[in-house]
Amino acid sequence: ADPGLVPSAAALTHPVTAALRRGKHAFAEEILKVLGEAALRSAPGDPSVYAQLLRCRSWQAMFNGDYARCVKLDSDALEHARRAGDQRQAATSRFDIAYDLRMLGDYERAVEFFFEARDEARQLGLDALASTIEHNLSLALHRIGRHREAIDMQHRCVDTAILRGDRIGEAYCRHYM
């Protein structure tokens, strides 16, 4: 088979999440079945492929309201990303875990994971990811009573979005204020 025709596992998140957001859960599953299995066949045992597929499975669990399963899947994705040496995916997985914990109401642990993920993202120069993390972190901070810190953080997120010309990001940030 032509290796150029093999799907990249990293590229699966976007079509899977797009399908889920449109309520096309069966199509998301089909994408993972066909393209995910092809990615696994093309790189058997590659932990980065497993990390990406686990992230997609976590999105499916999220859209089914199963955040406890999300924590498990995202934790497994984090472990695979670490094994692959993929620091970007590791930071993203840590962020995903923090988000899951926040959705489960475990705000203290969520705050810890958000700060760790944000610090990793900053160290890697992933400014957009760090800003997204802070946006979500601010709500968790608010939930544990650190209101002033949360509001100040969200104002910084709005300012960052404006500087980037990110009108959608700006709107998301203003929703948390």
Side-chain angles (χ1 to χ4, degrees), residues 55 78 87-100 102 107 109-142 149-150 153-154 156-158 160 164 166 169 172-173 176:
R55 186 161 194 250
L78 174 59
Q87 294 175 313
R88 179 189 193 104
Q89 180 58 46
T92 301
S93 292
R94 190 177 301 282
F95 164 54
D96 292 341
I97 295 166
Y99 185 91
D100 303 336
R102 190 188 72 191
Y107 302 116
R109 282 185 56 216
V111 165
E112 290 175 35
F113 272 87
F114 277 131
F115 274 120
E116 289 170 7
R118 185 208 53 195
D119 293 346
E120 282 181 87
R122 282 182 175 169
Q123 287 173 344
L124 295 169
L126 303 172
D127 298 332
L129 178 59
S131 182
T132 299
I133 292 168
E134 282 198 337
H135 164 64
N136 285 276
L137 167 59
S138 71
L139 181 58
L141 288 169
H142 175 72
E149 185 179 359
M153 185 176 286
Q154 204 55 243
R156 286 192 306 273
C157 290
V158 168
T160 299
R164 282 196 188 121
D166 180 2
Y172 283 143
C173 293
Y176 279 18

Side-chain angles (χ1 to χ4, degrees), residues 10-84:
L12 293 177
T13 304
H14 294 291
V16 168
T17 57
L20 292 169
R21 286 182 176 126
R22 287 168 180 78
K24 299 185 180 295
H25 295 247
F27 184 55
E29 181 60 33
E30 192 67 20
I31 291 168
L32 285 172
K33 181 178 178 195
V34 174
L35 299 179
E37 288 176 11
L40 284 171
R41 280 192 307 275
S42 73
D46 183 342
S48 63
V49 172
Y50 286 106
Q52 294 294 335
L53 294 176
L54 288 163
R55 186 161 194 250
C56 289
R57 293 292 181 198
S58 176
W59 274 91
Q60 286 180 304
M62 182 180 74
F63 274 85
N64 287 324
D66 190 351
Y67 288 98
R69 181 158 165 71
C70 291
V71 171
K72 170 70 171 117
L73 291 165
D74 289 328
S75 296
D76 289 348
L78 174 59
E79 186 56 37
H80 279 63
R82 285 181 179 156
R83 270 193 266 149

